[in-house]
């Protein structure tokens, strides 16, 4: 379930340490996709603000241009999807293992050798 937009552009820009026009440019480049009200007002979620902060770090601290930032963001998004898929698969495997163990427990029959006097050595 996606996060709900909570911040108007001026607040989101302030939280991210950017100018509102920069947020508009980032949106036009596809780097961030804020939600919109029925009237068209941009609403930024906490995740959007974190993404804006990341973009800011990538451009100022690492010196990436926006094409580089877009590439890094695509890779991070893909990594996030892969991690989520791995967690789902791990959960499914754990469930299957537990189910298999339950079946084995039902099928295990203890066998005791009889100790008849004639069979002893």
């Amino acid at each position: 379930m996606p996060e709900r937009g909570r911040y108007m552009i001026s607040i989101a820009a302030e939280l991210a340490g950017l100018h509102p026009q920069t947020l508009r440019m980032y949106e036009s480049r596809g780097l961030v996709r804020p939600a919109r009200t029925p009237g068209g007002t941009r609403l930024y979620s906490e995740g959007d603000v974190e993404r804006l902060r990341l973009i800011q770090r990538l451009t100022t601290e690492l010196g990436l241009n926006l094409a580089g930032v877009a590439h890094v963001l695509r890779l991070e998004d893909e990594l996030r999807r892969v991690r989520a898929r791995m967690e789902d698969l791990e959960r499914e495997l754990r469930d299957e293992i537990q189910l298999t163990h339950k079946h084995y427990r039902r099928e295990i029959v203890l066998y005791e050798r009889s100790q008849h006097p004639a069979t002893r050595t």
Side-chain angles (χ1 to χ4, degrees):
M1 186 165 90
E3 287 182 272
R4 288 188 45 208
R6 301 174 6 166
Y7 305 113
M8 292 176 51
I9 192 168
S10 58
I11 303 298
E14 185 177 329
L15 290 171
L18 300 166
H19 190 277
Q21 189 60 37
T22 305
L23 274 62
R24 291 183 191 95
M25 184 203 26
Y26 289 171
E27 182 183 8
S28 72
R29 300 268 181 116
L31 300 176
V32 67
R33 292 180 185 89
R36 298 272 185 156
T37 66
T41 302
R42 292 170 178 88
L43 291 177
Y44 292 83
S45 67
E46 287 290 337
D48 293 330
V49 172
E50 282 304 311
R51 190 172 180 101
L52 291 167
R53 289 179 182 139
L54 174 60
I55 294 168
Q56 176 76 338
R57 280 193 308 275
L58 292 172
T59 57
T60 58
E61 294 174 18
L62 298 180
L64 294 179
N65 62 20
L66 293 183
V69 169
H71 188 67
V72 167
L73 293 176
R74 275 193 303 276
L75 290 173
E76 286 207 353
D77 290 343
E78 180 63 22
L79 182 59
R80 197 172 2 270
R81 283 191 294 274
V82 168
R83 283 182 176 155
R85 180 65 180 135
M86 273 183 31
E87 288 171 6
D88 290 344
L89 290 172
E90 286 175 351
R91 199 174 310 109
E92 288 176 26
L93 285 172
R94 276 193 298 275
D95 292 346
E96 285 296 321
I97 288 169
Q98 286 178 349
L99 185 62
T100 300
H101 284 293
K102 285 180 185 176
H103 288 296
Y104 282 150
R105 286 185 197 116
R106 275 190 246 137
E107 294 174 6
I108 292 176
V109 176
L110 294 177
Y111 173 76
E112 292 182 26
R113 249 175 45 182
S114 65
Q115 296 288 330
H116 289 77
T119 59
R120 286 189 191 166
T121 55

